[in-house]
Amino acid sequence: MLRLGQLITTIALLFTTVVHSVELNVDDKDSICSAAQIVSDGMWNYYEGFKYGGVVGMFASPNYWWNAGEAFGGLVDYYSYCDSGNSTLKQWIYDGMYHQAGENFNYIPSNQSMTEGNDDQGVWGMAIMEAVERNFSNPESHSWLEMAQAIYNTMEARWDTEHCGGGLRWQIFTWNSGYDYKNAISNGCLFHIAARLARYTGNETAYLPTAERVWNWMEEVNFLTEETNGKLRIYDGANTENNCSKVTDLRWSYTYGVFMTGCAYLYNLTGDETWKFRAGEVLDAANAYFFNNSIMQETTCQPSGNCNNDQRSFRCLFARCLGLTMKIIPDFEDSIRPNLEASAKGAAQSCSGGTDGVTCGEDWSANGWDNQYGLGEQMSALEVMLALIAEEPISVKTGGTNRTNYAAGTDTEDTENKNKIKIKGKDKAGAGVLTAIVLAILLGGGIWMVF
């Protein structure tokens, strides 16, 4: 027979494990923001910056530096759309983003030299552009726009014409494994950031040629090609040792997202129907591959249950890009919103796990929580909800701040890697081992998923 104290404890445990789930009405902004608040609160549970000895701007392992870039981009949007009066939240976001800017304010912090690639810097560039386009509180020393320009300038300066006729490598630093691999997402980030800076500043001359060069190179090297069914296909990348002639046959949602939205920005800026057509082509291909019964999924790995920690976060950027594209090209709303609404509903009902009853899962088509959890699951659920209420990004022309520096980042770097980080030999060796493992998992594991 239970003693009174044991009985009270048992009852308390029963109440603390009751599943609450996240309620969501996709037609009501207040409901969306209420759901987004619950999900974003779950993201902060993984934040290291609140812990004694933790790093401001970083999230708990196994999340990498670039995952923090994903997270803060979504948090800027949540603050802007739903909670702009929350000064505490604003300070948390500001501190995290600014702290990770690096010594030269170009988002190449020296403590990330063992893992940072061009795609990692590019994802942070997308987050910083969210701050620029939402008029998020600017630092006094370097504006968000100046830092976005520094990211663009340092990435663009790494364009490598000696191998594969152009393109960015996956890695920034020569000592990291993967330096001999050129991938679509790194080049997509450069394309995307160039397009957004061109639209924001209104300066086509400074940024449009780069965007055009990236797109043309992607076609020339067959990373971006048309399938026999008429759908556009974006491959993962290829090794430089064979002149990028053998592509890695993997597709990822965020890659499609960054190219689609980059095209949308360029169409909005130039009025050139070619860019609208290209955005529509990418959207059509993405709708066909990354949705199952209108529910968003990371198709290359999720159905088989083989997504790694990084891949479980890709949909957060994909969803954000869909929301932006829908606002920039309203003609595409009928092709985007139904899938976003179905996916947001699925994400909300998946946010019914964990001891808090509102932890989000990976499979949004499952009935309730699928027992998966992490920062990637929280970020993806947040972004697909926020995409429903995305606002048109501002520009200098429509009231955005213009603390600009077209030469940002170009006066502090060397000629090879656009950084001045000095790494000891033992750290180089450690970096090589670590990234070799990552590359093996990405390519080997990815190929296993396909076959």
Side-chain angles (χ1 to χ4, degrees), residues 158-274:
R158 297 185 203 114
W159 187 263
D160 169 34
T161 57
E162 295 184 12
H163 305 84
C164 309
L168 289 181
R169 296 171 181 269
W170 176 25
Q171 294 296 323
I172 295 174
F173 301 102
T174 56
W175 54 80
N176 281 341
S177 295
Y179 184 75
D180 60 352
Y181 190 74
K182 294 191 176 183
N183 59 355
I185 186 59
S186 294
N187 289 279
C189 286
L190 177 60
F191 172 80
H192 182 100
I193 294 168
R196 291 177 79 160
L197 283 171
R199 178 186 178 273
Y200 183 83
T201 63
N203 190 334
E204 295 184 31
T205 303
Y207 301 111
L208 183 57
T210 295
E212 292 173 332
R213 184 174 75 240
V214 174
W215 183 275
N216 292 337
W217 178 80
M218 287 283 295
E219 289 186 326
E220 291 165 4
V221 81
N222 290 320
F223 285 7
L224 194 159
T225 187
E226 188 173 294
E227 297 183 278
T228 55
N229 63 4
K231 301 289 186 186
L232 198 70
R233 189 181 186 109
I234 305 177
Y235 291 96
D236 182 77
N239 285 309
T240 58
E241 62 186 23
N242 55 25
N243 203 36
C244 295
S245 60
K246 187 177 181 181
V247 297
T248 304
D249 188 9
L250 299 173
R251 286 174 279 183
W252 306 111
S253 63
Y254 70 158
T255 310
Y256 281 70
V258 298
F259 276 103
M260 172 184 61
T261 306
C263 290
Y265 274 92
L266 293 174
Y267 170 65
N268 184 269
L269 170 68
T270 66
D272 186 343
E273 291 289 331
T274 300

Side-chain angles (χ1 to χ4, degrees), residues 383-416:
E383 297 272 16
V384 78
M385 294 174 186
L386 292 178
L388 295 172
I389 54 173
E391 299 172 0
E392 184 173 353
I394 63 171
S395 65
V396 171
K397 186 178 179 180
T398 58
T401 59
N402 194 25
R403 282 175 52 193
T404 185
N405 178 6
Y406 285 97
T410 62
D411 56 352
T412 57
E413 291 78 25
D414 63 31
T415 57
E416 182 178 3

Side-chain angles (χ1 to χ4, degrees), residues 39 312 360-362 364 372-382:
V39 176
R312 282 155 53 187
C360 301
E362 179 184 12
W364 298 342
Q372 298 296 318
Y373 63 92
L375 180 63
E377 283 76 10
Q378 295 296 130
M379 291 192 294
S380 297
L382 175 69

Side-chain angles (χ1 to χ4, degrees), residues 47-107:
Y47 190 54
E48 292 288 284
F50 297 148
K51 300 178 181 178
Y52 179 77
V55 179
V56 174
M58 288 294 290
F59 290 78
S61 178
N63 298 292
Y64 287 103
W65 180 74
W66 83 278
N67 296 123
E70 290 180 300
F72 280 109
L75 290 168
V76 167
D77 280 346
Y78 167 69
Y79 170 82
S80 301
Y81 303 160
C82 298
D83 206 4
S84 59
N86 189 333
S87 59
T88 300
L89 175 62
K90 177 182 177 180
Q91 193 65 50
W92 291 351
I93 297 171
Y94 177 96
D95 289 345
M97 293 177 70
Y98 189 67
H99 191 77
Q100 292 301 322
E103 297 81 355
N104 296 317
F105 300 97
N106 55 12
Y107 287 84

Side-chain angles (χ1 to χ4, degrees), residues 399-437:
T401 59
N402 194 25
R403 282 175 52 193
T404 185
N405 178 6
Y406 285 97
T410 62
D411 56 352
T412 57
E413 291 78 25
D414 63 31
T415 57
E416 182 178 3
N417 288 313
K418 300 303 164 189
N419 63 79
K420 282 191 173 182
I421 299 171
K422 296 181 179 179
I423 304 298
K424 297 178 181 179
K426 63 179 182 180
D427 292 330
K428 294 181 183 180
V433 172
L434 177 60
T435 51
I437 294 171

